[in-house]
Every structure is written in C-alpha cells, then in structure tokens.
Amino acid sequence: MFLAQIVAARVPSRMLSMFVRNAELLKFLTVGAIAFVTTSVLFFGLKWTVLEGKPVTANVVAVLIATVVSYVLNSEWAFTARGGRARRHEAALFFLVASVGMVINQLPLAVSSYLFQLRTPHVSILVENIADFVSATIIGTLLATVFRWWAMRKFVFLDPVRPDLELDEPMSETRA
C-alpha cells in the first residue's frame, strides 16, 4: 500500500477533504520545508567554515542551491496539474521569481548584520548566530515564501488546464 493510501485511511474525512482541496499549497509548503532545511544546513555550514565572516554571501549560495532543488520539486511534483508553458520559459520565469524572492530573503539579514551591527565584535558569537537565524532563516524565508507562492501561481505555473471547460461544439463563425 502506498504511503498516501495509508495516511488517507487514517485521516478523518472532513480533514481529508481539506487536504485534497489544498493539495497544491501543501505540496508547495512541503517543497518549501525541504528547501528551508537545505538552506539552513548550507547557510550555517558555509558561514561557520569557508565563508566565515561573510553571512550574506553564505546565505546567497545556500539559497541558490536550495532554489534549484525547489524548482525541480515544484515543477515535477507541486505544480504538476498546471502547465501551458515551454520548460525553458517556465524555468526562466521560475528563476526570475526566485531571484526576487532571494533579494527579499536577504533584506532582513542585511539589516540585522549591517544596519543593526549584530556582528562580532559588537555582540557575542551566540547573539550573532541567533540574529542570523531569526533574520535570514525565519523572517527572510517567511517573507520570501509568501511572495513566491503568489508569484509562482500568477506568473510561472499557469492555472490548471481544464478540459471540462472546453465546448463540445465549436462556435459558428458568423459575421454581421
């Protein structure tokens, strides 16, 4: 039995219908969670090693890698019911939206690091890492996620193709 069938058998029917109605959002949030973990692990891994003292650069690299993972998962799983664009066009729009999302994601970290000076030696290493986590990983990600959800549905992955809306008979072309 597939995992989805096992879960569906155990979920109350009212809740299951809500999950089905919001399946696309739930898939998008799942992809986002995977990208979030990827970004967090890479950000702190880079920040504490090869990009020490360069938190914004470390976060940009982490977000870029997570964005590629996100594109593959969103196009192949979360938004599979949508379509209508050539893959190259879809990918270009996705990465354009993701770039704007990345700028949105970096703003709280840049403000925290450079405007508020929450960097060593001005603050302890613990305060710096907590500020980086809150500003980049929580605030930045939340702001960027809201933007991406709106923009992906509006510009990248078009409305689902609905064959049931097609007319059975073509309209006659009469001219007055």
Side-chain angles (χ1 to χ4, degrees), residues 39-109:
T39 301
S40 298
V41 168
L42 290 173
F43 170 58
F44 284 103
L46 291 169
K47 180 182 174 296
W48 292 338
T49 59
V50 296
L51 292 174
E52 188 175 349
K54 298 178 181 177
V56 174
T57 304
N59 201 34
V60 167
V61 170
V63 170
L64 282 173
I65 293 169
T67 299
V68 172
V69 170
S70 176
Y71 172 70
V72 171
L73 293 175
N74 273 310
S75 66
E76 298 298 324
W77 182 57
F79 293 108
T80 55
R82 293 174 174 259
R85 295 196 190 276
R87 179 73 86 184
R88 289 178 300 175
H89 190 218
E90 178 185 274
L93 287 172
F94 181 93
F95 286 105
L96 179 65
V97 166
S99 296
V100 174
M102 184 165 45
V103 169
I104 292 169
N105 192 293
Q106 301 311 310
L107 290 174
L109 178 61

Side-chain angles (χ1 to χ4, degrees), residues 123-142:
V123 296
S124 72
I125 192 76
L126 178 63
V127 170
E128 176 185 325
N129 283 307
I130 290 171
D132 287 351
F133 179 76
V134 170
S135 63
T137 311
I138 296 177
I139 297 171
T141 300
L142 285 174

